[in-house]
Each structure stands twice: as C-alpha cells, then as structure tokens.
C-alpha cells in the first residue's frame, strides 16, 4: 500500500486489461466500487510438515475483513513488480 495515502481508498492502482496492459491508474476505492481488473499478488505458506498455513484477515481490510484466508497478498502498487509485491506481502 502507498504509505503516502492517508486513506487506503485513495491509494493508486493500475486498472489492467485481460492481457495485463494498463488501461488507467485509478484509486483503490474506484477499483473496488467498479470491480475493475487489477494486479495482485498472493503467497501461500507451508509449514515444515507440509501443512498449508492460514491467517485471519485484519478487521480493517476493505474486502472480507476478519475472514480466514489461505494466502497472504494484496494489490500491487503503481509500477510494482509481481515478485516485489509477493515479497512485501
């Protein structure tokens, strides 16, 4: 998430087409409101025993707050590479 954005809904994200080409840079709130295709990264974590670890999403999330999730992940920032976002998450 862009640390300069006071409100997460003001964060800028890339709206992309089905070929992952940027259509427009929009706010996160518009992306959510209009259900626009965007880039995201997700990381699944396995224990040493090979078990899939789950976590509970923060209550402050804009999508499915408090739900259990099998992946840590999030929306890519403008210009952010997928691998960089996965490492950040």
């Amino acid at each position: 998430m862009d640390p300069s954005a006071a409100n997460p809904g003001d964060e800028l994200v890339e709206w992309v087409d089905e070929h992952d080409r940027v259509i427009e840079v929009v706010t996160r709130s518009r992306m959510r409101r209009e259900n626009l295709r965007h880039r995201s990264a997700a990381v699944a974590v396995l224990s040493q025993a090979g078990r899939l670890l789950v976590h509970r999403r923060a209550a402050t999330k804009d999508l499915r707050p408090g739900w259990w999730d099998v992946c840590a992940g999030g929306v890519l920032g403008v210009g952010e590479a997928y691998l960089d976002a996965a490492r950040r998450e």
Side-chain angles (χ1 to χ4, degrees):
M1 180 180 309
D2 178 358
S4 65
N7 176 349
D10 295 337
E11 176 186 1
L12 296 178
V13 300
E14 294 171 331
W15 170 18
V16 297
D17 67 14
E18 64 274 9
H19 302 290
D20 202 30
R21 293 180 298 223
V22 176
I23 296 169
E24 185 179 346
V25 173
V26 299
T27 62
R28 183 184 184 103
S29 61
R30 178 178 173 200
M31 175 268 294
R32 290 283 188 232
R33 184 175 59 253
E34 298 178 25
N35 196 28
L36 302 175
R37 178 181 282 122
H38 59 282
R39 296 176 173 146
S40 65
V43 179
V45 180
L46 300 177
S47 72
Q48 288 184 338
R51 292 187 173 127
L52 178 64
L53 302 179
V54 299
H55 72 102
R56 193 154 200 181
R57 294 172 58 83
T60 55
K61 289 298 218 177
D62 62 348
L63 187 64
R64 298 179 184 87
W67 286 29
W68 288 98
D69 203 339
V70 297
C71 290
V75 176
L76 272 66
V78 174
E80 187 174 23
Y82 284 100
L83 187 54
D84 292 338
R87 286 183 180 129
R88 173 176 51 78
E89 293 296 339

